[in-house]
Amino acid sequence: MNNSRFSIAIHIMTLLARANGELLSSDFLAGSVNINPVLVRKEVSNLRKKGFIISKEGKNGGSILAKPADKILLSAIYEAVRQSPLLGQTRNSPNPDCPVGRQINTHLDTLFLDAEKALIARLDQTTLSDFTNQFD
């Protein structure tokens, strides 16, 4: 779920950044992301609560960025939609009598945490503007 939420949020935010302050409707956003407008409205609501988006309801409503794209880090968007660790959590109960089994969860937890830290560090180097400027 993390992966789809982040990609949907980045897609929405990129569209809004490219709109240069023009209100974009959830139907327009959903058409680009190619998902149900209800899912877009849910993510827009979350991004609004986190301070990334300003929305106006009604017939001529829509959403815009709450601040300039060059002031929004991709890491902040990731943190706003993150629900669980990137690689999940170790939930298995391996054999405690096995030398690997009794330690595997500890080592996997460390590996997964380090991987997520590396991802966040990379996203922390990229603004929404940097990302948006890749598109024609």
Side-chain angles (χ1 to χ4, degrees), residues 1 17-18 30 34-35 46 48 50-51 61 105 113 124-125 132:
M1 188 61 161
R18 290 174 52 98
N34 201 25
I35 61 171
N46 179 55
R48 185 178 56 246
K50 302 290 182 164
N105 286 341
L113 182 61
D124 204 37
Q125 298 172 10
T132 301

Side-chain angles (χ1 to χ4, degrees), residues 58-72:
K59 182 180 176 188
N60 296 318
S63 299
I64 60 172
L65 293 179
K67 54 187 170 182
D70 63 350
K71 303 294 184 207
I72 300 171

Side-chain angles (χ1 to χ4, degrees), residues 8 12 25-31 33-47:
I8 291 167
I12 291 167
S25 70
S26 58
D27 286 337
F28 176 85
L29 298 170
V33 180
N34 201 25
I35 61 171
N36 189 306
V38 171
L39 295 174
V40 167
R41 283 191 284 276
K42 180 180 176 184
E43 204 56 65
V44 164
S45 175
N46 179 55
L47 292 167

